[in-house]
Amino acid sequence: MSQILGSLGAPIAEIRIENIDLISFDTKDQLFVSNTSGDIYLYSQDGKQLNLFSPARQGRLNQLEAAWTVNIFSFSADLQEYRILDRFLNPLAENGFLPADVNLAKAATLGNNNVVWVWDESDLNLKSLDYLRNLIIQSQPLNLILNSANLEVSEIREFKNRLFMNVPASGIFIFDNQGNLMRKIAANGIKKLCYYKEHLFWLEGVNLMAVSLLTNEVINLSQFDEVGAKYLQIGQERLAIVSNDKVSLYTIPTWLKHFE
């Protein structure tokens, strides 16, 4: 394991929302933050609140994604539905999974070409859904492919035409854009997937950790003073750490920008 490379410095802003849950940066480093009721707040790259979306049906979100060029995606396992919003938090689509023959969606993510990837725990299948037609395009049974006794999937995310499946008990499984298993990374206990410069990042105590997707090398990048830190997300020029009662917003330090 490599040694510490640098410091994050002091946060440029601290965002406090009661019952903070999920965060995601868009391509302009605006930060979207949800609470445990499913409300979504929009903040500027300097931490100033710009907007708020409060859905008619309240429910905790399992997924919040803003890194796509146009749309914001959210998914709630409690409500068994997903929602697509525009940059101003206006709803564009809101659909349940049952009409598309998904019986128990436990993880979902937005993909390219109008696709929503869904992990259906009822039949242990990874499914791709055309959300414009609400129609299953393909279904891949994974219980035998993954050869894992514990398929408690916490999250799936698409990065650069690859689908990442987080199974905290056993690691990260990587699929191609057709749902074919490519490889597994033995990085356990990651709470939320964070991708940056061909690495996956996560927090381990007070340490900022990374694992290379090219070499599998695990690197201890930095230590920080953030009590109760849970997970992080990285944007273009901003990095955010979620703790028990706040989001701490940092400028990405120069050493991390040059990290390969």
Side-chain angles (χ1 to χ4, degrees):
M1 180 185 294
S2 299
Q3 298 301 309
I4 293 171
L5 299 183
S7 167
L8 295 181
I12 60 172
E14 292 184 343
I15 297 168
R16 295 182 182 271
I17 299 174
E18 189 173 353
N19 299 319
I20 283 176
D21 198 11
L22 303 180
I23 64 170
S24 183
F25 284 106
D26 69 7
T27 55
K28 297 180 179 180
D29 279 334
Q30 295 185 123
L31 186 66
F32 294 77
V33 183
S34 72
N35 60 18
T36 53
S37 296
D39 299 320
I40 301 175
Y41 297 79
L42 170 60
Y43 289 86
S44 72
Q45 59 180 274
D46 298 318
K48 296 181 175 61
Q49 185 176 339
L50 302 176
N51 207 345
L52 167 64
F53 170 74
S54 186
R57 293 184 67 208
Q58 297 275 300
R60 186 171 191 170
L61 300 181
N62 297 77
Q63 193 87 338
L64 178 64
E65 299 176 16
W68 295 93
T69 306
V70 177
N71 296 324
I72 313 300
F73 176 84
S74 70
F75 158 68
S76 171
D78 290 343
L79 299 177
Q80 285 293 291
E81 67 180 27
Y82 63 92
R83 182 180 288 112
I84 297 172
L85 307 102
D86 67 16
R87 292 282 144 191
F88 305 101
L89 294 178
N90 299 307
L92 301 175
E94 184 175 316
N95 292 311
F97 287 105
L98 280 176
D101 196 28
V102 176
N103 296 312
L104 186 58
K106 296 304 290 281
T109 186
L110 188 62
N112 282 309
N113 301 319
N114 303 320
V115 164
V116 172
W117 290 98
V118 187
W119 167 247
D120 189 347
E121 197 172 80
S122 69
D123 56 11
L124 302 181
N125 272 238
L126 176 64
K127 301 177 178 179
S128 58
L129 167 71
D130 181 336
Y131 73 79
L132 295 180
R133 296 181 292 163
N134 210 24
L135 180 68
I136 295 293
I137 302 170
Q138 62 179 356
S139 186
Q140 179 81 283
L142 296 186
N143 54 326
L144 297 178
I145 296 174
L146 300 188
N147 192 26
S148 175
N150 187 341
L151 275 181
E152 292 290 332
V153 177
S154 66
E155 183 184 12
I156 52 178
R157 286 284 302 275
E158 184 175 307
F159 300 108
K160 291 190 175 180
N161 289 319
R162 289 167 292 177
L163 186 70
F164 291 73
M165 174 179 282
N166 188 2
V167 184
S170 56
I172 309 296
F173 296 90
I174 305 176
F175 302 83
D176 65 18
N177 58 8
Q178 299 300 313
N180 301 306
L181 180 63
M182 298 170 63
R183 56 186 290 226
K184 173 188 173 183
I185 294 178
N188 299 358
I190 294 178
K191 291 185 178 180
K192 288 293 177 184
L193 293 171
C194 175
Y195 175 94
Y196 183 69
K197 290 182 175 288
E198 286 298 323
H199 288 74
L200 290 178
F201 288 72
W202 73 98
L203 303 181
E204 198 171 279
V206 296
N207 296 306
L208 172 59
M209 309 294 296
V211 59
S212 169
L213 298 176
L214 302 175
T215 66
N216 287 344
E217 179 187 13
V218 177
I219 306 156
N220 186 350
L221 290 167
S222 181
Q223 288 186 338
F224 54 90
D225 183 19
E226 200 70 61
V227 177
K230 296 179 179 179
Y231 71 93
L232 81 157
Q233 292 293 297
I234 302 176
Q236 307 298 311
E237 300 288 337
R238 295 288 184 266
L239 180 152
I241 293 178
V242 178
S243 57
N244 291 323
D245 59 352
K246 65 183 178 182
V247 180
S248 298
L249 193 61
Y250 297 83
T251 298
I252 296 178
T254 301
W255 63 263
L256 183 53
K257 288 182 183 179
H258 296 156
F259 169 67
E260 298 292 344

